[in-house]
Amino acid sequence: MKVVVCVKQVPDTKGGVKFNPDGTLDRAAMLTIMNPDDKAGLEAALRLKDQYGAEVTVVTMGLPKAEEVLREAIAMGADKGILVTDRVLGGADTWATSQTLAGALRNLEYDLIITGRQAIDGDTAQVGPQISEHLGIPVISYAQKIEIDGDSVIVERQYDDRYHVLKAKMPCLITALAELNEPRYMTPGGIFDAYKAEITTWGRADLKDVEDSNLGLKGSPTQIAKASDKVRKGKGEKVTLDPSESVEYIMNKLKEKHVI
Amino acid sequence: MNLEEYKGVFVFAQQVDNKISGIALELIGEGKRLAEKLGESVTAVLVGSDVKGLADELAAYGADKVIVVDDPELKEYRTEPYAHALSSVINQYKPEILLVGATAIGRDLGPRVSARVHTGLTADCTSLEIGDFPINPIPGKEQKHNQLLMTRPAFGGNTIATIACPDFRPQMATVRPGVMQKLEKKEGAKAVIEEFNPGFTPNNKYVEIVNIVKNLTDTVDIMDAKILVSGGRGVGSPENFKILEDLAQAIGGTVSCSRAVVDAGWKSKDLQVGQTGKTVRPNVYFAIGISGAIQHLAGMEESDIIVAINKDETAPIFDVADYGIVGDLNKIVPALTEQIKAAVAAKN
């Protein structure tokens, strides 16, 4: 069984968020991590490796620095890392990103492709389903449980007020929720392996069956008209009163605003 | 692609269990507003099995036209037959704009459809406008008019971007539930109803539904609540949420919580506010014993009025609160509940 996991290197928002004095985000001061949903997808793949001896290949698209997340994945137990990087791929929206990754995946054999549901920097949840469309395979999004049944995969797919248990013939693409599992830590031996491991690097020429017009900034149907760091809402009032005065204060505000 | 061929504003009228979802009505309201600016009409696309009877409801909320794709294969949501239905409607009717709810269904359907018809898709929009692209003229670049300008937060709400899709049609957006306004219901309003069936032949992309498990809790969806009484780790114990429930009941609100509370197993995931939970914007948000991690703020800072009660005066929640009270929630909350009960009783 062959499993390919797509991961993304993203700026860390947890704990390490830094703001400029004007309330905007200080990106330069932030660290990078493997996107949490993707990490859950990787853990799901590694469990299939533990259980069925699946071969796990990790693919990422990004700057050369994104090699770091591939080494982290290998240190966790992945077999192989592929970095897709090329100047012409920069500025891609989700259409061009999914075209790029589909072009890379066409070079690989796979029974399952696992992506995270969404990345914490873009929050779109679009790339996984779009890859599946380009490859002509079924997609099951929002997976909260994954099992293998012969040549099929059985997945619990989360909705707002319910979940569906879905069965799809492989090959199939699954997008994983961070709730799927608790990702394992890197092992000392794994870190040693990861340090030595050779990372395969692919550029534009290595992408299969993709036209230039579908890649990078020029191949992106969506274009940014305006972007700004959000100026956060200003502070309101803060009071320190004894309990009965506090209650009176809240009551007055609620009445003033016609809540009660 | 001849862009001129594409006309009108279409919305995907999501239904679940043959009940129209609130987002469908919100999209019709917003679609109508955009359509008026373009001198066009708004069309609802209703996809399901045995759903034709729901068309009148869409008309009552402002749909000028309803395209009904009705087929037994569409009984429960599955990606492939729904993607086939919606992309076939696009190819047949050529809408200029297509809006889909950013729900667990729409965020799966939207990308699959946009990839199939080769157009752009902007995720999770919170504001839509018709305008020029580029917004300001750039020498040597054509400025296109009457474009859909789609605004969305990214990075957990820390940045906002406005996106256009100038060279492809339809201009597609998924729209965050609870943000757009539905129109007032007009009983008896009629829409042009058209049935369309592109034919459904199962292939490798059809998945089998083995089982459907519904959550048995019949609580109000926190995204629909006008008042939320939200608790964090500072509440102290699952039992102590009782004081929040009492407050919620007195003021006509719903209880929600922070991630820490879900992680501790005190409350279920469907009540979680924040980046990995739900985004809410009620009229009033009580943050009780919630410190206000950035991921939490991202899910609630758009609330109209934020009241925070926390014993730690340095808690980040006070940075977004309109009214912050530094104090002991165990003393303040029960007393507040009593005062509200008295005020409500006096009113009636």
Side-chain angles (χ1 to χ4, degrees), chain B residues 76-332:
Chain B
E76 301 290 343
Y77 175 75
R78 282 179 300 162
T79 312
E80 182 53 31
Y82 270 67
H84 177 58
L86 194 53
S87 47
S88 299
V89 165
I90 293 170
N91 292 333
Q92 176 76 18
Y93 295 91
K94 299 193 179 345
E96 187 174 6
I97 291 172
L98 173 63
L99 307 180
V100 178
T103 60
I105 288 176
R107 300 182 88 215
D108 179 64
L109 178 63
R112 190 100 204 192
V113 169
S114 69
R116 190 161 300 183
V117 303
H118 189 175
T119 191
L121 172 64
T122 305
D124 246 349
C125 297
T126 51
S127 161
L128 300 170
E129 277 311 325
I130 301 297
D132 297 335
F133 180 81
I135 293 174
N136 299 308
I138 295 172
K141 184 165 180 174
E142 182 196 357
Q143 188 182 37
K144 296 189 169 190
H145 307 298
N146 287 333
Q147 302 296 303
L148 182 64
L149 301 178
M150 302 165 269
T151 299
R152 66 181 305 263
F155 219 141
N158 287 302
T159 66
I160 47 172
T162 300
I163 312 282
C165 179
D167 303 323
F168 291 85
R169 292 292 181 269
Q171 302 162 91
M172 277 182 73
T174 62
V175 178
R176 188 173 290 192
V179 177
M180 304 301 177
Q181 297 294 321
K182 63 182 174 192
L183 300 170
E184 209 159 292
K185 188 173 185 178
K186 278 191 194 153
E187 292 289 353
K190 288 286 168 202
V192 178
I193 297 174
E194 202 169 310
E195 291 191 62
F196 174 74
N197 190 323
F200 294 87
T201 312
N203 57 26
N204 73 310
K205 287 177 274 184
Y206 278 61
V207 301
E208 179 195 336
I209 299 181
V210 181
N211 196 8
I212 295 174
V213 183
K214 293 183 188 178
N215 281 344
L216 295 176
T217 51
D218 54 357
T219 47
V220 179
D221 188 339
I222 59 171
M223 291 177 71
D224 295 333
K226 297 285 178 218
I227 298 179
L228 282 174
V229 179
S230 207
R233 204 198 304 267
V235 175
S237 69
E239 295 74 32
N240 207 33
F241 261 80
K242 176 80 168 63
I243 61 172
L244 274 66
E245 275 146 26
D246 291 344
L247 172 59
Q249 197 175 10
I251 201 168
T254 303
V255 168
S256 57
C257 66
S258 71
R259 179 174 182 161
V261 167
V262 175
D263 286 348
W266 298 353
K267 288 283 170 197
S268 64
K269 172 93 187 155
D270 56 335
L271 300 183
Q272 184 193 324
V273 172
Q275 194 175 330
T276 57
K278 292 179 175 174
T279 300
V280 298
R281 52 189 300 173
N283 300 133
V284 187
Y285 188 89
F286 288 93
I288 301 175
I290 293 178
S291 63
I294 182 78
Q295 290 86 354
H296 187 78
L297 303 186
M300 48 63 78
E301 66 180 334
E302 299 291 322
S303 306
D304 293 340
I305 301 171
I306 298 169
V307 180
I309 304 172
N310 202 301
K311 66 174 193 274
D312 174 10
E313 65 171 333
T314 64
I317 192 73
F318 290 123
D319 294 344
V320 299
D322 297 282
Y323 308 117
I325 299 95
V326 181
D328 182 352
L329 65 93
N330 291 303
K331 291 190 176 126
I332 296 169

Side-chain angles (χ1 to χ4, degrees), chain A residues 21-37:
Chain A
D22 62 355
T24 59
L25 200 68
D26 183 0
R27 286 165 186 274
M30 293 172 67
L31 300 169
T32 59
I33 52 166
M34 187 188 302
N35 182 54
D37 283 352

